[in-house]
Amino acid sequence: MNLEFFIAKRLISAKQHKSSISAPIIKIAIVAIAIGVIMMLVAFATSLGLQQKIREKMSAFTGHVTISNYDNNNSQVSLMPISTDQDFYPEFTSVEGIEHIQATAYLGGVIRTETDFEGIIVKGVGPDFNWDYFDEFLVAGEMPNVSGSLNNEVLISHYTANRLGLEVGDKAVTYFLRDESSRTPLIRAFEIKGIYNSGFQEFDELYMLADLRHVQRINRWEEDEVGNFEVFLEDFGELEEKGQEIYENTGSFLDTRTIKQQYYSLFEWLSLFDFNVALIIGIMILVAGINMITALLVLILERTQMIGIMKALGSSDWSIRKIFLYNAGYLILLGLFWGNLIGLGLLYAQKYLKLIPLNPETYYVTEAPVYIGWEYIVAVNLGTLLLCMLMLLIPSFIITRISPVKAMKFD
């Protein structure tokens, strides 16, 4: 049997210990650790959740990597078509980690009603378009059918529908300018099949989704010509690496841009959350460590006579230090238990009950998203335990300075 562990257990379970002077200080230390763990879990979950949610919303509109003509790079609309007769389409087999690739095209237009008008960009999509992201955004109606015969069904944003007073089933009369300014604009009367709301106003105020064949006909393109290709990756963490591989495996007349390159400032804003999380973790561990150091010193002071007796009986300094470190480790684990119980409870409540709303104009989401992953939960718990124990090694060194003779007389 481990003698030090046995003595530490007896000290923890002793009744006089629970009513001693150190009891309130120990409780404060446990509460400090629990609060620290709660704050760290919440910081991780909300930061990662917000980053993941915003990435998903942006990817729904642009994909992770966009392949386009060099002539299209500075324009939001597709200027020069690309043939679909490519080695990487419809299956991008030359690069591993590609989840999906789809052909799209963009065309600028103006929706006009009897009383108002709104500039929009029609995003032409085909049968290979991934609607999974927009299933979550759909607030009314249903998705347009782009896989059958050509029809006028479109998906419009809640933002645009509100500004123009349109509803599901209404006609969205859209005007498209021709290359020659003197010619009459082309008119299409689209039928609003569904309304979406991503909460990302930067995109919602722009895009209306329609059949790709409409864009091809208005631009007088061939059936095998599209505006660009959107590539989705299996792992967003490999974006830079895969973006470079995709660039190397496309033709010399094509360019590729990752979503980070297209929206650099937004991803820089997201990266600030990583700094905030690191700052919170550092402060919480420091506070928890200081409280545990205080608790350990009080425990040592309270058991000074016991330390003197053990030294007189021949116990080594390290053996006595281990007793108090075991005791402190128990208190840390107790704080971790309550911190995890409360912290995870709050996170699951927010995940399923949506208790905390956010302003979508500022954060691009309507409620605080949370990501609950065991990787950071384990890291928080192990990191807190190890760092606190390392911080306790120094104050436990005071045991070596205690004289057995003076300790046994200590009152």
Side-chain angles (χ1 to χ4, degrees), residues 64 91 96-101 130 133 231-235:
H64 295 141
E91 297 292 336
E96 294 182 357
I98 303 297
E99 182 180 36
H100 180 65
I101 182 170
N130 184 5
Y133 291 109
V231 182
F232 292 83
L233 306 178
E234 293 177 356
D235 184 4

Side-chain angles (χ1 to χ4, degrees), residues 190-205:
F190 294 113
E191 177 190 354
I192 299 177
K193 191 69 173 178
I195 297 176
Y196 74 90
N197 181 19
S198 71
F200 216 116
Q201 187 174 321
E202 185 176 341
F203 293 106
D204 287 359
E205 65 185 7

Side-chain angles (χ1 to χ4, degrees), residues 229-262:
F229 298 96
E230 296 173 352
V231 182
F232 292 83
L233 306 178
E234 293 177 356
D235 184 4
F236 187 86
E238 299 179 343
L239 180 66
E240 300 300 331
E241 176 188 344
K242 295 301 178 182
Q244 182 61 32
E245 286 187 44
I246 292 171
Y247 176 78
E248 294 172 354
N249 284 271
T250 54
S252 58
F253 60 92
L254 295 176
D255 190 26
T256 61
R257 300 183 71 195
T258 66
I259 193 173
K260 282 188 177 181
Q261 292 171 332
Q262 296 179 65

Side-chain angles (χ1 to χ4, degrees), residues 160-227:
T160 304
N162 274 352
R163 288 178 64 87
L164 297 177
L166 298 173
E167 298 177 353
V168 173
D170 290 346
K171 296 293 182 182
V173 180
T174 310
Y175 294 78
F176 300 96
L177 296 178
R178 305 195 190 195
D179 293 337
E180 300 84 357
S181 58
S182 59
R183 299 183 65 184
T184 305
L186 293 172
I187 304 175
R188 291 290 185 275
F190 294 113
E191 177 190 354
I192 299 177
K193 191 69 173 178
I195 297 176
Y196 74 90
N197 181 19
S198 71
F200 216 116
Q201 187 174 321
E202 185 176 341
F203 293 106
D204 287 359
E205 65 185 7
L206 284 180
Y207 294 114
M208 178 175 76
L209 277 65
D211 197 309
L212 175 62
R213 288 166 288 187
H214 284 296
V215 179
Q216 291 172 328
R217 288 190 175 189
I218 293 171
N219 285 335
R220 296 182 180 179
W221 292 350
E222 300 296 330
E223 292 183 0
D224 63 345
E225 291 181 326
V226 296

